[in-house]
Each structure stands twice: as C-alpha cells, then as structure tokens.
Amino acid sequence: MSPHEDLAVFRGPRLSTLLTRSHKELAKRDGALSGGFTLKDLNVHEAQNIRSFLGTEPGRRPDQVKVQLEHLDTVVRRGYGLGLLELFDALGEPVRFRSQLRREAEDLRERILAPALASPLHDQAWFRAWIEHRNTQSAVSQRVTAGDTESFAHAVRVLEAVEAHGSLRGGSGISPLLLQNLAVGVTGDTKALNNRTALSRLVLPALAARRGTTRPDESDAEECRALWEENDVVQDDLASRVLVLNLPADGRVLGSWLTEAAEHGVPLQVTLHQLVRFPPVPTSPVIHVCENPAVLRRAAGELGTASAPLICTEGWPSAAFHRIASAAVAAGARLRYHGDFDWAGVHIAQRVIERYDAEPWRMSAADYLDRVRTESPELKGRKRATPWDPSLAVAMVERGRVVFEESVDSALLEDLVAR
C-alpha cells in the first residue's frame, strides 16, 4: 500500500487511545523512538484492537497493553509506508517536540516582557520590583500559555501614562487622569480598567508598588478605587469629594469659600474639580482627620466655630482628600488621623499615616481596649498591621471585636474643642 493511501483506521475510535498517548510520548521525547509506555484501564474491545494492530499477545493484565515506540513505528511503516512522525503529519496533527515548545514559550515570554524592559520606567525600583514579583511572573506565564502579547504591553503603557502625568502635576492645578480616558487611550476599550478586569489586575499591584503600599484586595472595590485615586486617576472628578469643617485657606474662589465656611462653622463638601480649578492653600498648622461623616456632623452641630479644623475621608480617602491633604502638608500643616478599629479602618489609617507622616489620633491599643465591648460587632476580614502601635493589632485579634469611630466621638470632640 502506498503512503497516505488509506489512513482511515487511524481516524476512527479503534486506535484513538494508542495514537493520543503515542503523540504525547513523542512530543515529550523530542521524537525519539526509544523506550515505551503502558496503556492502562482499557476496555476489552480497546485492548483487543490495539493488540491486533501491534501483533502482540495479551499479558497478565487484560486491561493493559505495553507499547514500544520503535515497534509501533515499524508496524506503521510496514503497513502504510511512512513512519510514526510522518503519520501524525499526514493526519494533520504534527508532533511538536517539548524542546521546540520550550523555545517557543521562551521566545514568546521575551516578546511579552520586551515593552517593560524597554520602558523608561525600568530605571525605577518600584517598576522592576513589580515585574520581578512572583504574581507578575505568574501572570506573564498565563499570557504565554494564552499566546497573549498585548495585555502586558497595555499594562506598561498605562503605568507610563500615570507616571508621566505625575511628573507633570507636581503641586499645580493639573487635572487628574480620568480612568475611562486612560483605558480607551491605551486599549480602545473604555471599560478595560474597570475593577477586576484582567488589565486592572495587572496594573493595580504596580500602582501599589509605585505608592509603596501593600497590594490591594481585588475583591474590595473601594480599596482599588482608592489606590487609583492615590495615583491621581479618577472615575469622575465631580464625584470625588471631601468633607471639611473649619478649614480656612488662602487662594481665590475655593480658598475664600473655605475661609467663609470656617467663619460660620459650616461643613463644606469640596469636589476634586473645584480643588483642581482653584487650588486652595490651607492655613491651619494642625488638621484633624476622621473617617466617618457622623463625627464631623456632630462636631459641626455641637462645637460649630469652636471646633478645630477637621477633614473627613468618608471611608477610603478620595482623590479630593489627597489633593487637599497634600496642599495642607505642603503648606506646613500636621495631620492627626482617627478611624474605625476594624481591619479596613486600620489599613486606611496606615496609608494616611505613612503618606503624610500623620500623627495617630486616639488610635492606640489602649484606646481600643478602653472602648471595646463583648457586644461589639465581630471583627472580620483580612488582618492588617498597625506599625504605629503593633500591640493594637494584637489586641484586636485577641478581642475579635470592632470599635466604630462613632462610639468614641465624645472623646474626639473633647480634643477638637481643646485644639
């Protein structure tokens, strides 16, 4: 029989188990015909068909057939005029040797990493740390498997845009980057950087490295949003706001509004758009910061103009908070921070304290133990460090209870009125 004349026997189910395993073994052995393998757990018909094709006798196990690659190659060559490797070529399933696949994977990995290695950001330690992190390397490996040469390059371009924007901004009134504009500019898709997309999963750990903070919890949309905003990327500069009380400031328009509101003890909600358009310069030497608006509301209602300057983050600090806090610190102010005694609360505290060299405000283990009760809500979530007072995290783990900021607001108000 001439080569390729009748390969129907190899296209049906009779020898599919034999061919599948042979194909895998040849790929693993780089095409070498030495050695063999054993097919196991065959049914009666499968075993009979394979033995009949190979011309071998049954062994001690009727559900197993031992196969020598060299013998199989000889059987195919004698019966069909072509070798085993040629057979797979003829069937449209050429064997790709493991060494070849390894070289191709290495070449593809180099192509995927090339934009990062060629980026001007590669001179920066945070960028190299991100590339070398095991999670990033794992993500690159996944893209090698998928043959994806675009995603990592997109991530690098996003980081380059963020860094370029940061170098332009400095202390000026440059507008923040809008997330959707950044996404469409890099990928053509306005939603490519939305929370928990493949691209955002690549970029957010790099942004954390850029800010010198811990990698974000991808399931926490607020934490991810805050990390974007710490890097001056926002979804909406009108939606990004900060609540302030008694914070006089220099500067036209917004500075005047802040000063006039402080003269009357009236809370003012300031948008990022206003802060960019009319950058204020806060004039208070000490500014208290709280996490929950209920604290600021009570200070405004009970203390009015007697309250010390107070800024509220309303949960995770927004880009608007960072603008006004940065302006205050640049003008010489010292921040004092208080928040919830839960894991998210102490994580927010850590970020604010580290970024602005802020003073912890009633955020010690003693403060926590003084207020925690057995009936307090259960402490849940991912444990966080409290480097300003390591014993605080220990106490929180031991008690396992939350102390919300509102439950200590009387003590906070005493500090605010005492200035």
Side-chain angles (χ1 to χ4, degrees), residues 93-408:
E93 301 174 5
V95 178
R96 301 181 66 196
F97 301 154
R98 175 178 287 182
S99 60
Q100 175 189 356
L101 293 174
R102 189 181 299 115
R103 287 193 300 272
E104 291 176 358
E106 289 171 354
D107 290 344
L108 184 56
R109 191 179 192 88
E110 288 180 3
R111 287 172 55 198
I112 290 171
L113 285 171
L117 300 179
S119 172
L121 296 181
H122 196 263
D123 291 337
Q124 301 200 32
W126 67 264
F127 186 78
R128 294 194 303 275
W130 167 66
I131 295 173
E132 294 163 6
H133 194 280
R134 62 181 183 278
N135 290 355
T136 308
Q137 291 297 312
S138 176
V140 171
S141 296
Q142 292 171 10
R143 277 147 185 81
V144 170
T145 302
D148 175 7
T149 58
E150 286 191 340
S151 297
F152 202 73
H154 286 161
V156 172
R157 288 179 58 196
V158 167
L159 296 171
E160 289 173 346
V162 171
E163 184 70 11
H165 175 76
S167 64
L168 284 175
R169 201 198 108 183
S172 67
I174 300 294
S175 297
L177 289 170
L178 293 179
L179 187 66
Q180 61 270 31
N181 291 350
L182 179 59
V184 76
V186 171
T187 70
D189 179 0
T190 58
K191 298 180 180 180
L193 289 171
N194 285 2
N195 196 39
R196 304 191 79 170
T197 62
L199 186 56
S200 70
R201 285 191 174 103
L202 269 176
V203 171
L204 283 169
L207 294 180
R210 180 176 183 264
R211 295 300 319 171
T213 61
T214 56
R215 289 182 162 232
D217 179 354
E218 294 177 356
S219 65
D220 189 330
E222 276 300 292
E223 183 177 351
C224 293
R225 187 270 308 163
L227 181 56
W228 279 114
E229 294 196 352
E230 285 181 26
N231 287 272
D232 212 34
V233 181
V234 300
Q235 292 183 340
D236 185 343
D237 60 354
L238 293 177
S240 180
R241 296 169 295 186
V242 60
L243 186 61
V244 303
L245 175 68
N246 296 350
L247 188 68
D250 292 333
R252 65 191 187 93
V253 185
L254 184 55
S256 298
W257 296 351
L258 287 165
T259 299
E260 187 171 358
E263 290 172 354
H264 297 278
V266 175
L268 194 64
Q269 198 161 53
V270 182
T271 68
L272 178 60
H273 183 272
Q274 292 166 344
L275 288 162
V276 172
R277 183 76 183 276
F278 303 109
V281 180
T283 56
S284 302
V286 178
I287 300 172
H288 292 73
V289 181
C290 64
E291 181 183 344
N292 298 290
V295 175
L296 187 143
R297 178 67 184 84
R298 186 175 173 190
E302 296 185 19
L303 304 181
T305 57
S307 173
L310 182 62
I311 303 177
C312 180
T313 66
E314 297 186 79
W316 275 98
S318 65
F321 168 81
H322 289 301
R323 285 275 174 151
I324 203 163
S326 296
V329 171
R334 178 167 55 91
L335 302 187
R336 304 185 71 208
Y337 183 84
H338 188 278
D340 290 332
F341 287 104
D342 60 7
W343 294 129
V346 297
H347 190 35
I348 294 170
Q350 180 185 3
R351 298 274 273 267
V352 173
I353 290 168
E354 288 179 350
R355 180 164 180 173
Y356 299 106
D357 194 23
E359 175 188 336
W361 173 28
R362 292 187 181 268
M363 287 292 289
S364 69
D367 294 313
Y368 170 76
L369 292 171
D370 184 54
R371 293 288 179 167
V372 69
R373 301 290 182 268
T374 55
E375 64 272 15
S376 299
E378 184 181 354
L379 183 63
K380 297 180 180 180
R382 174 184 172 189
K383 179 186 174 183
R384 300 289 184 172
T386 54
W388 64 91
D389 183 357
S391 61
L392 170 59
V394 174
M396 291 173 65
V397 170
E398 289 177 349
R399 294 301 182 92
R401 297 290 170 179
V402 173
V403 175
F404 289 120
E405 192 173 37
E406 295 91 330
S407 66
V408 299

